[in-house]
Amino acid sequence: MYILEGNIGSGKSTFLKKIAAEHSLLKTALEPVNIWADEDDGKSLLQNFYTDTKRWALTFETFAMQNRIQDHLIYQQSEQTLLVERSIYSGHYCFAKNSHQSGFISKLEWKIYLDIFNTLVSNTCRVPQGFIYLRVDPTISYERARKRNRSAESSIPYEYIEHIHERHDDFLIKKLDISQELKNVPVIVIDCNDDFETNRAVFEKMSASILQFIEHT
Ligand code: TTP
Ligand code: MG
């Protein structure tokens, strides 16, 4: 299993859809964002998170963790090469950690969340074969997320995108505060500032690097 990581709006879903259309042997899985964007009682969990962050951060991060672990357990059984959008690791090291550092999750809530994370993840999940980090300038991911126009995300502040960008760099480039086992997982960093949705040459260059990485790790 290989994991495609990157900020909100960096282009992960766009890349997975394009590569799946061209490489039928490569199995891909999109992030289950629909579950969080489902509108029950008029508001989705994602919308609640962005409009009343302190109230909803722990609920959102815990539910997202549960969803990601459930998927990870299925993916790690697969014998095919799988390319998956986001993971329990970015959910934890980028999003939940950011919610804690930004004060959206209190010290007590963080302790509860960490207890659940450490017990479940260390006992059930195997680290992936590699991480593919689609790295973009936060101003670009902000613009792409706005262009995509997911209704629950209309209130995302630019500052949040900037923080999530820093958390991705901490996790995948600086490898800050992560376990040795995770540090040993190879990471390829792909600069995705240039538009690859419409520019064929840019897409081909990035897919060649990613396919080569998968072949050699
Ligand atoms: P997505 O592929 O939806 O971004 P993502 O999957 O990384 O985001 P999330 O973390 O929320 O899952 O791309 C966001 C938007 O940007 C989409 O409308 C397509 C547009 N886009 C471009 O215009 N040019 C590009 O080169 C890319 C990659 C995306
Ligand atoms: Mg996506």
Side-chain angles (χ1 to χ4, degrees):
M1 182 198 328
Y2 289 83
I3 298 176
L4 197 60
E5 302 284 15
N7 204 348
I8 299 162
S10 54
K12 301 174 297 297
S13 302
T14 303
F15 179 76
L16 284 180
K17 285 176 199 157
K18 282 173 87 74
I19 197 97
E22 297 188 15
H23 295 269
S24 52
L25 288 180
L26 198 62
K27 235 180 127 203
T28 57
L30 294 172
E31 189 176 34
V33 69
N34 293 345
I35 302 176
W36 314 321
D38 214 23
E39 296 191 3
D40 239 358
D41 294 330
K43 257 189 170 184
S44 69
L45 185 52
L46 200 57
Q47 196 175 5
N48 277 317
F49 174 73
Y50 286 122
T51 49
D52 191 355
T53 308
K54 274 197 170 173
R55 159 68 182 84
W56 288 96
L58 179 71
T59 310
F60 181 59
E61 305 301 358
T62 311
F63 187 52
M65 169 180 31
Q66 190 278 339
N67 297 159
R68 292 191 204 280
I69 291 176
Q70 199 171 19
D71 287 345
H72 193 95
L73 295 180
I74 296 169
Y75 299 149
Q76 72 185 10
Q77 302 297 332
S78 173
E79 283 171 12
Q80 264 181 297
T81 304
L82 253 185
L83 192 48
V84 180
E85 181 175 8
R86 286 223 179 95
S87 63
I88 42 167
Y89 305 104
S90 47
H92 177 68
Y93 292 106
C94 303
F95 289 91
K97 190 175 170 189
N98 187 67
S99 282
H100 169 57
Q101 289 179 339
S102 303
F104 307 149
I105 288 178
S106 73
K107 214 170 151 183
L108 174 63
E109 288 176 317
W110 183 239
K111 190 179 172 306
I112 294 167
Y113 166 94
L114 270 185
D115 273 355
I116 304 173
F117 179 84
N118 288 332
T119 311
L120 290 183
V121 172
S122 59
N123 285 322
T124 60
C125 298
R126 286 201 307 274
V127 297
Q129 280 160 279
F131 286 109
I132 297 150
Y133 175 20
L134 303 192
R135 188 172 190 274
V136 295
D137 194 280
T139 55
I140 292 183
S141 47
Y142 184 67
E143 278 316 311
R144 285 182 186 163
R146 281 165 65 95
K147 177 179 165 190
R148 179 186 53 207
N149 203 15
R150 202 177 270 154
S151 69
E153 293 177 345
S154 59
S155 52
I156 295 190
Y158 172 69
E159 199 191 23
Y160 183 71
I161 301 265
E162 222 176 10
H163 287 158
I164 296 297
H165 172 76
E166 287 160 13
R167 296 292 78 74
H168 276 81
D169 278 3
D170 288 349
F171 167 41
L172 294 158
I173 296 178
K174 297 181 193 151
K175 303 199 175 189
L176 277 184
D177 301 325
I178 62 174
S179 67
Q180 191 55 48
E181 194 188 18
L182 214 47
K183 274 186 190 164
N184 293 340
V185 176
V187 178
I188 182 174
V189 182
I190 307 277
D191 180 327
C192 283
N193 284 318
D194 289 339
D195 193 301
F196 67 83
E197 191 181 34
T198 51
N199 190 328
R200 181 78 205 161
V202 176
F203 173 71
E204 275 177 8
K205 189 167 171 247
M206 81 184 273
S207 355
S209 306
I210 291 171
L211 293 172
Q212 202 184 25
F213 174 74
I214 291 176
E215 212 172 293
H216 292 103
T217 50

